[in-house]
């Protein structure tokens, strides 16, 4: 993709001033301009831009609306603000929520804006490369999921081959990681392998070790994850008596909680997790999972591509198992809401194989 940018300003003199300043700079640069929010929105629907430089006071749609639209629809596009006046409230919004790359207040040396634009192109290209790496990773995981379906069938029909199958899976997962073009370095690579192994082996175990009821589910979760002596706290609360639930439903619920906690443990050895299971009616249930960690741990743990990819895989799996899934994440807390139906048959595993 060519280095291109969209310059948005309601003042035609400033637009011409900007174009004249950019002409004297070195390097090919494709520039489109707009003098209103409406015209900018029209151009943005027709074309992808690496960098958008916008004012805030625009006719029709103001600059913050344009930036919000880009954040939601083209998150890789780099946003730069160039404006006459900037209030503190605007500044906080642009930096903290809209993730604006640079902010300039007029009058500013256009040389500084040019340098910011060049830096924006570099940042965009890096984001694009990271996205391609993510697609490579997901493609390899998809291959593994399809092979898993066949291997799981073999394990069910010939349990005596189980030990050899696990050895094969371990070797197979190493191959998946080495085949990814942007292979994660060192410790990150083994984190990915360990996580893949845990999920794959749990799926293979499901038919052999079902969970019979909610009490058994709680016991199993506490056994593996609740260790107060190590500052690892898990509390599971069941609101109201849910009645008799099927073995499949209890097993799927156990897997959902197990999967989230497994991801939490990979991020932090210290955590406080509260799980609330809420029956809505005899068929529908809500699950609320809140994980609290030491300050800054979650954001620090997601600074590399592999960690973000693992979280993305986790989200894909949860979306497959639940009828509804939402989550919110901050530096020290993650909050997940899920809705489940107890009468649904176990289609989740087949869907999971297709969606990972």
């Amino acid at each position: 993709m060519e280095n291109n940018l969209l310059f948005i300003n309601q003042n035609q003199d400033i637009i011409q001033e900007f174009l004249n300043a950019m002409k004297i700079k070195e390097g090919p640069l494709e520039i489109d301009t707009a003098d209103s929010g409406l015209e900018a929105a029209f151009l943005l629907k027709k074309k992808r831009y690496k960098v958008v430089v916008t004012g805030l006071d625009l006719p029709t749609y103001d600059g913050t609306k344009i930036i919000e639209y880009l954040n939601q629809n083209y998150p890789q596009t780099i946003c730069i603000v160039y404006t006459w006046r900037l209030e503190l409230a605007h500044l906080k919004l642009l930096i903290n929520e809209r993730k604006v790359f640079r902010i300039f207040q007029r009058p500013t040396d256009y040389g500084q804006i040019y340098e910011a634009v060049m830096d924006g192109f570099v940042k965009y290209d890096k984001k694009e490369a990271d996205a391609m790496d993510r697609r490579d990773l997901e493609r390899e995981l998809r291959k593994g999921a399809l092979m898993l379906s066949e291997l799981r069938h073999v394990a069910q029909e010939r349990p005596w081959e189980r030990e050899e199958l696990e050895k094969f899976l371990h070797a197979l997962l190493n191959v998946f990681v080495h085949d990814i073009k942007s292979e994660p370095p060192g410790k990150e690579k083994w984190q990915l392998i360990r996580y893949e192994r845990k999920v794959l082996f749990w799926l293979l175990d499901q038919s052999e070790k079902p969970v019979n009821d909610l009490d058994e589910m709680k016991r199993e979760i506490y056994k593996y994850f609740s260790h107060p002596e190590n500052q690892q706290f898990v509390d599971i609360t069941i609101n109201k008596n849910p009645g008799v639930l099927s073995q499949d439903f209890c097993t799927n619920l156990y897997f959902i909680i197990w999967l989230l906690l497994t991801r939490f443990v990979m991020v932090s050895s210290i955590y406080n997790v509260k799980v609330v299971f809420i029956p809505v009616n005899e068929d529908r249930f809500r699950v609320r999972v809140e994980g609290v960690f030491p300050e800054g741990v979650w954001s620090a743990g997601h600074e590399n591509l592999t960690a973000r990819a693992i979280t993305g895989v986790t989200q894909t799996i949860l979306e497959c198992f639940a009828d509804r899934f939402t989550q919110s994440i901050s530096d020290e807390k993650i909050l997940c809401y899920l809705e489940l139906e107890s009468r649904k048959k176990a289609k989740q595993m087949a869907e999971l194989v297709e969606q990972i």
Side-chain angles (χ1 to χ4, degrees):
M1 183 175 172
E2 299 266 336
N3 283 344
N4 65 354
L5 72 87
L6 174 61
F7 185 77
I8 312 167
N9 198 290
Q10 67 174 337
N11 189 318
Q12 285 290 340
D13 291 338
I14 293 177
I15 290 177
Q16 193 56 52
E17 196 177 85
F18 179 83
L19 291 173
N20 292 338
M22 295 301 110
K23 281 180 183 177
I24 65 174
K25 303 298 179 181
E26 296 181 0
L29 183 58
E30 181 184 326
I31 303 176
D32 292 333
T33 64
D35 60 8
S36 71
L38 183 61
E39 184 182 1
F42 179 72
L43 291 171
L44 289 169
K45 285 184 178 292
K46 289 173 49 180
K47 183 176 179 179
R48 287 189 65 182
Y49 293 93
K50 285 189 176 183
V51 174
V52 171
V53 181
T54 183
L56 295 181
D57 296 324
L58 301 173
T60 320
Y61 302 116
D62 66 30
T64 56
K65 293 281 178 55
I66 295 294
I67 295 169
E68 182 180 7
Y69 172 81
L70 289 167
N71 287 171
Q72 293 176 354
N73 296 279
Y74 303 102
Q76 285 164 233
T77 295
I78 305 303
C79 297
I80 297 174
V81 167
Y82 181 47
T83 186
W84 277 101
R85 187 179 63 179
L86 193 62
E87 297 176 359
L88 181 59
H90 262 144
L91 189 64
K92 289 181 178 178
L93 174 70
L94 294 172
I95 293 175
N96 296 332
E97 296 185 32
R98 299 290 176 252
K99 311 300 182 188
V100 167
F101 181 58
R102 294 281 193 277
I103 298 174
F104 296 97
Q105 192 164 358
R106 184 172 170 81
T108 297
D109 178 6
Y110 279 112
Q112 295 181 31
I113 298 180
Y114 178 81
E115 293 299 325
V117 168
M118 293 299 108
D119 290 344
F121 290 149
V122 172
K123 186 175 180 66
Y124 179 95
D125 291 339
K126 185 177 185 305
K127 282 186 174 184
E128 188 72 15
D130 286 347
M132 290 177 65
D133 292 343
R134 171 69 180 274
R135 288 192 289 271
D136 286 341
L137 178 60
E138 289 177 345
R139 185 162 49 249
E140 296 303 324
L141 288 172
R142 202 174 297 117
K143 287 181 188 175
L146 292 172
M147 204 167 295
L148 167 64
S149 180
E150 299 175 8
L151 294 172
R152 187 168 178 268
H153 181 70
V154 169
Q156 289 175 337
E157 292 196 347
R158 291 177 284 179
W160 51 273
E161 292 186 357
R162 179 59 177 275
E163 184 177 348
E164 292 303 314
L165 173 63
E166 290 193 359
K167 291 179 183 177
F168 174 71
L169 275 175
H170 188 199
L172 182 68
L173 291 169
N174 281 275
V175 172
F176 291 164
V177 173
H178 286 294
D179 280 347
I180 299 172
K181 290 180 182 178
S182 59
E183 178 182 336
K187 183 179 177 182
E188 296 176 23
K189 175 178 66 178
W190 296 115
Q191 284 181 334
L192 176 58
I193 291 175
R194 188 170 74 249
Y195 184 72
E196 288 177 328
R197 289 187 70 200
K198 283 177 178 287
V199 175
L200 290 175
F201 291 160
W202 194 97
L203 297 175
L204 287 169
D205 280 337
Q206 186 190 29
S207 60
E208 298 177 15
K209 299 178 182 178
V211 175
N212 295 306
D213 53 40
L214 294 181
D215 287 337
E216 183 179 353
M217 181 270 293
K218 289 177 64 174
R219 288 196 300 272
E220 290 296 309
I221 291 294
Y222 287 157
K223 179 172 69 175
Y224 289 108
F225 297 102
S226 186
H227 307 291
E229 68 279 8
N230 297 325
Q231 300 185 63
Q232 298 172 343
F233 301 94
V234 179
D235 178 62
I236 301 175
T237 303
I238 300 173
N239 286 2
K240 300 188 298 186
N241 184 355
V244 178
L245 298 172
S246 70
Q247 192 179 74
D248 282 345
F249 179 79
C250 293
T251 303
N252 284 348
L253 179 62
Y254 170 59
F255 174 64
I256 286 169
I257 299 172
W258 174 89
L259 184 70
L260 279 169
L261 287 168
T262 298
R263 183 71 192 104
F264 293 171
V265 169
M266 293 181 69
V267 174
S268 175
S269 60
I270 298 174
Y271 51 81
N272 190 335
V273 179
K274 294 181 180 180
V275 181
V276 182
F277 180 67
I278 309 165
V280 178
N281 54 44
E282 62 179 7
D283 297 325
R284 182 167 288 274
F285 301 86
R286 291 178 184 152
V287 181
R288 181 183 186 275
V289 181
E290 179 186 82
V292 179
F293 312 92
E295 185 176 358
V297 165
W298 189 267
S299 58
H302 281 72
E303 290 180 353
N304 62 72
L305 173 65
T306 302
R308 295 194 297 272
I310 291 173
T311 296
V313 170
T314 303
Q315 181 171 338
T316 299
I317 296 171
L318 292 172
E319 287 171 349
C320 173
F321 270 75
D323 295 305
R324 291 181 59 191
F325 169 73
T326 60
Q327 69 176 5
S328 62
I329 299 174
S330 66
D331 284 354
E332 58 193 46
K333 180 189 291 187
I334 179 167
L335 189 59
C336 302
Y337 288 96
L338 306 100
E339 285 197 10
L340 310 169
E341 284 188 16
S342 62
R343 290 188 178 182
K344 280 196 170 183
K345 298 299 179 183
K347 293 180 181 177
Q348 289 92 337
M349 210 60 68
E351 293 172 357
L352 175 61
V353 169
E354 294 176 1
Q355 292 187 34
I356 289 182

